Amino acid sequence: MSRSIAEVKNWMTMFRWIVKVIRDDYGIEEARLTRHAQLETELGLGIEQVEEVLGVIGQSFAIRFPEGVLDEVLRLEELCMLASWLKGFYKQPEFISEGFAAQCRAANPGMP
């Protein structure tokens, strides 16, 4: 299913876009989709489902998530900030390690 990204211009609209994906694809109540919600433990998404969400984000925004992303991202807000950074909507998130940041840059050569 193709999802419009026309309205996504910054990290806040990216967050809203990701919330809609998770709400629509996995039937999670929007009230539970808060910034600090842990993807697996609080939202109940399995690893495969989180990987599917990463795939949807990656395909929709033409970005690549390197191996080990689930070691760096635990919360919905972190996923949004990482995706926003990879797309050029946000600064490098403070929570990611330098090694992972280098992997992100290598996987996305056109990053700012």
Side-chain angles (χ1 to χ4, degrees), residues 1-5 17 21 54-63 87:
M1 178 180 181
S2 178
R3 303 169 197 273
S4 174
I5 61 167
W17 188 91
V21 168
L54 292 172
V56 168
I57 296 167
Q59 183 177 20
S60 297
F61 291 95
I63 57 177
K87 186 61 182 168

Side-chain angles (χ1 to χ4, degrees), residues 81 85 90-98 100-102 105 111:
M81 289 180 165
W85 174 57
Y90 193 75
K91 63 182 179 182
Q92 179 179 326
E94 295 178 7
F95 64 86
I96 64 171
S97 67
E98 283 304 315
F100 185 71
R105 287 185 186 94
M111 280 180 63

Side-chain angles (χ1 to χ4, degrees), residues 12-52:
M12 291 179 290
T13 53
M14 173 75 82
F15 180 84
R16 184 77 192 124
W17 188 91
I18 293 170
V19 163
K20 288 178 184 179
V21 168
I22 295 171
R23 178 196 67 198
D24 294 349
D25 289 4
Y26 301 101
I28 296 175
E29 298 171 21
E30 198 163 333
R32 293 179 50 208
L33 296 167
T34 64
R35 292 174 57 174
H36 300 289
Q38 291 184 352
L39 297 168
E40 293 180 57
T41 57
E42 292 179 350
L43 298 180
L45 294 173
I47 292 173
E48 297 83 19
Q49 292 171 316
V50 175
E51 288 174 348
E52 289 171 1

Side-chain angles (χ1 to χ4, degrees), residues 56-73:
V56 168
I57 296 167
Q59 183 177 20
S60 297
F61 291 95
I63 57 177
R64 300 180 73 123
F65 293 98
E67 293 291 321
V69 69
L70 297 179
D71 294 331
E72 299 280 335
V73 171

